[in-house]
Amino acid sequence: MRFFHLSDLHIGKQLHHYNLHEDQEHILGEVISYAEKYHPDAIVIAGDIYDRSVPPAEAVSIFDDFLTRLCGMHPGIPVFIISGNHDSPHRLDYASRLLGSHQIYIAAKAPEAEGERLKKVTLTDSYGSVDFYLMPFLKPGYVRALCGGDLPRNYTEAVRTVLEREEIDTGRRNVLISHQFYTGTGAIPETCDSEVFSVGGIDNVDISLVQDFDYVALGHLHGAQKVGRDHICYCGTLLKYSVSEAGQEKTLHMVELGAKGTPVKTERLPLHPLRDVRRVRGALSEVIAAAKTENRDDYVSVTLTDEIDPYKPKEQLEKAYTHILEIRMDNERTRNRLRFSEDKIKIQEPLQAFSDFYREMQGRELSEEEKEIMEQVFIKARGDM
């Protein structure tokens, strides 16, 4: 049984103020090309299809085109999709029954009532059957009703509650698709700036719950990695979604299950993004000289090391690079300022801090109406403290 393992597409995401729709269309097109070449038995997408719960129409169109092209292949390739913490279960679940007739299986909501179970799809190869269990992102509050009305103590207990009800036959080959933060046996997964977890690690799920599966296809973390066992894997994102991911190698994971009890084989197929995300460091003249025809369109984070501030560095850099994410200075003067500055830290008013953040993320100022709404939010928040 051979299948592709994808996750965290984050369609609709922006990188700083740059729209990534061309980059995402390009990389999903490469996944289509690999599907045409290898024709896997299934494609697994382990959550975070979209970057936010209400995706823009452009993002929905990109994913729709991707699924349409997959459905057009002959013979058809089953696609298994679960919701992640960025997805809206209700929106993702739309038309799921209709899509199921085209071998696109969507599990958007975790079981919440006594009669509900995880969605399970069984495929067959020369070694027999493989059961795919689709477990969407869940929080303890989602499964309260399954615990007699009591709130599970943590995420591990919540996931345990859902899995134990399935009475999974471990004598068969089983694959779990899950979107959670798994840790265990001393293994602490590597995270990056684009991932946020609760203080104290309360989001963690212990891998002991899932180690009996033959393969665990995980989503949530953007860096490809194994968690404690070779068969429990985060495949990572197809694209780099933050500067902290600049050093990562993004690949498409092709997984092969043999007979029950044999090791899982994973091949990482190379990906070729439309634009890379890179860090560039050096004096201004060196950084400009490093710009070549093949890399000048990359998304670059620039750190200048000139001891004397160069003249209009941003304007000079924009002539060499088309997609500048940020420009930083790192020299003796800036290091001394951080080390020895006696200036008092200026704490911004909440509205000003939010306005600056909004401008950075959206590339525009708040409207007057939006400012009024946020002012009321902060007034109410201060009243609740």
Side-chain angles (χ1 to χ4, degrees), residues 13-16 20 191-195 222-223 237 239-248 250 276-279 299 301 325-326:
K13 184 177 179 61
Q14 290 189 329
L15 181 56
H16 289 224
L20 297 177
T191 60
C192 61
D193 292 347
S194 52
E195 301 152 357
H222 289 192
T237 54
L239 291 172
K240 299 175 182 179
Y241 285 131
S242 71
V243 174
S244 63
E245 298 173 48
Q248 295 180 0
K250 302 297 186 179
D276 198 4
V277 176
R278 297 188 295 118
R279 286 190 173 103
Y299 299 105
S301 168
L325 300 177
E326 59 188 359

Side-chain angles (χ1 to χ4, degrees), residues 102-260:
H102 294 276
Q103 297 191 90
I104 297 176
Y105 303 97
I106 299 175
K109 293 179 60 180
E112 296 180 0
E114 186 57 39
E116 297 176 351
R117 292 289 187 274
L118 291 178
K119 180 169 288 188
K120 182 180 78 169
V121 183
T122 301
L123 301 181
T124 304
D125 65 6
S126 58
Y127 294 105
S129 299
V130 178
D131 294 331
F132 288 82
Y133 289 86
L134 283 63
M135 185 169 67
F137 173 75
L138 59 86
K139 295 181 178 180
Y142 295 178
V143 297
R144 182 195 295 265
L146 303 182
C147 302
D150 296 326
L151 186 69
R153 294 176 298 171
N154 50 43
Y155 278 68
T156 295
E157 290 302 315
V159 171
R160 187 194 309 277
T161 297
V162 171
L163 290 178
E164 286 184 347
R165 300 168 71 248
E166 298 299 321
E167 299 181 349
I168 296 169
D169 182 358
T170 57
R172 295 167 61 90
R173 290 181 296 165
N174 301 298
V175 174
L176 176 68
I177 308 170
S178 178
H179 190 98
Q180 306 284 160
F181 182 43
Y182 285 88
T183 61
T185 64
I188 301 177
E190 296 179 3
T191 60
C192 61
D193 292 347
S194 52
E195 301 152 357
V196 178
F197 302 101
S198 298
V199 175
I202 61 173
D203 288 4
N204 297 11
V205 178
D206 194 286
I207 62 167
S208 61
L209 300 183
V210 300
Q211 62 186 6
D212 288 338
F213 284 89
D214 296 272
Y215 185 78
V216 184
L218 298 179
H220 203 27
L221 301 189
H222 289 192
Q225 55 198 291
K226 300 171 183 176
V227 187
R229 302 283 190 275
D230 287 344
H231 67 289
I232 304 176
C233 301
Y234 288 101
C235 63
T237 54
L238 299 175
L239 291 172
K240 299 175 182 179
Y241 285 131
S242 71
V243 174
S244 63
E245 298 173 48
Q248 295 180 0
E249 180 185 2
K250 302 297 186 179
T251 57
L252 173 62
H253 284 217
M254 183 164 66
V255 181
E256 186 172 338
L257 285 181
K260 179 71 178 181

Side-chain angles (χ1 to χ4, degrees), residues 3 19-20 39 42 97 141 168 249 251 312 363 365:
F3 58 90
N19 189 316
L20 297 177
H39 210 92
R97 284 183 290 181
I168 296 169
E249 180 185 2
T251 57
K312 292 186 176 180
E365 302 288 345

